Amino acid sequence: MAYRETEKMRLRKAAARQRIAECTYQCVAEGGFRNAKITRIAQRAGVATGTIYRHFESKEDLFAEIFRKATQREVDKVAEALAVPGNATTRLETALRQFAERALKGPVMAWSLIAEPVDPKVEEERLIYRKAYANLFEQAIREGIEEGCIPDQDARQSSTCLVGAIAESLVGPLSPTQTNQEIADKTDNHDPLVNTIIRFCIQGLTGTRR
């Protein structure tokens, strides 16, 4: 008789997989991918290390899934910000500000998503999501050109520049090589930094000072 997995067993396996993913996310949020050791994840999830590999083919596959889930949350937040009322310039400013402020409020996870050296499989996901951000910005820039609040330009190239500018501008402030005091100073009072980033980005798009 062929083995048939029962519904109860499927639910149990799904719950274990979810628990492993949640514990991995917590480890990354606390210390980045470099500190998310399989033994630590297993201990937190209350499973054997071998159990993790029954649910994920490799550590890289596990990390890639966590990266996807964490980054999709941020992409969704940017999309929400771009959907607020107002002209395209205002909406872009809101979205860029939200991106920067969320990153500075969660510096460890933000560094992990933006700049931490990672395995090739996770780096592939990073490139995919940079493109997702660029697509959102491109649409808003095209709308701004139609509205007349943004000068005519190559919307696709400009959107790529926006993604690069805001990501690179946050690398230093988010870097784990900084002292705890330096990080606290930037994350507790981040308005000047965020305002500078937004001003640069919007001036680059519109050619006017904000």
Side-chain angles (χ1 to χ4, degrees), residues 187-200:
T187 56
D188 290 344
N189 182 26
H190 53 241
D191 284 349
L193 173 61
V194 173
N195 289 338
T196 297
I197 294 171
I198 303 307
R199 190 179 303 115
F200 176 85

Side-chain angles (χ1 to χ4, degrees), residues 5 32 66 72 104-105 108 113-114 141 162 196:
E5 187 176 65
I66 299 310
Q72 188 60 53
L104 291 166
K105 287 177 181 176
V108 177
L113 299 180
I114 293 172
I141 292 169
L162 272 187
T196 297

Side-chain angles (χ1 to χ4, degrees), residues 5 22 28 44 47 58 97 99 103 110 127 132 138 163 169 176 180-181 185 187 197 201 206 208:
E5 187 176 65
E22 289 173 351
V28 174
R44 279 199 170 193
V47 299
S58 66
R97 184 175 299 278
F99 181 96
L127 294 175
E138 180 183 348
V163 174
S169 65
N180 290 336
Q181 186 57 51
D185 289 342
T187 56
I197 294 171
C201 290
T206 65
T208 58

Side-chain angles (χ1 to χ4, degrees), residues 78 82 92 96 129-142 145 150 153-167 201 204-205:
V78 168
L82 287 171
L92 280 163
L96 291 166
Y129 278 97
R130 284 176 74 96
K131 179 61 176 174
Y133 286 120
N135 287 342
L136 290 172
F137 291 147
E138 180 183 348
Q139 180 59 35
I141 292 169
R142 291 189 187 282
I145 294 171
I150 295 177
Q153 59 194 276
D154 185 332
R156 178 167 298 177
Q157 188 61 51
S158 294
S159 68
T160 301
C161 291
L162 272 187
V163 174
I166 194 164
C201 290
L205 273 179

Side-chain angles (χ1 to χ4, degrees), residues 31-32 34 103-104 106-117 167-187 193:
R34 67 192 179 283
L104 291 166
V108 177
M109 178 58 81
W111 166 261
S112 301
L113 299 180
I114 293 172
E116 181 182 0
E168 284 300 316
S169 65
L170 290 169
V171 168
L174 296 174
S175 174
T177 61
Q178 295 187 99
T179 66
N180 290 336
Q181 186 57 51
E182 286 175 325
I183 294 172
D185 289 342
K186 288 185 175 68
T187 56
L193 173 61

Side-chain angles (χ1 to χ4, degrees), residues 28 31-37 63-64 66-67 112-113 116-118 122:
V28 174
F33 286 103
R34 67 192 179 283
N35 289 329
K37 308 298 183 185
F63 284 2
I66 299 310
F67 189 97
S112 301
L113 299 180
E116 181 182 0
V118 290
V122 180

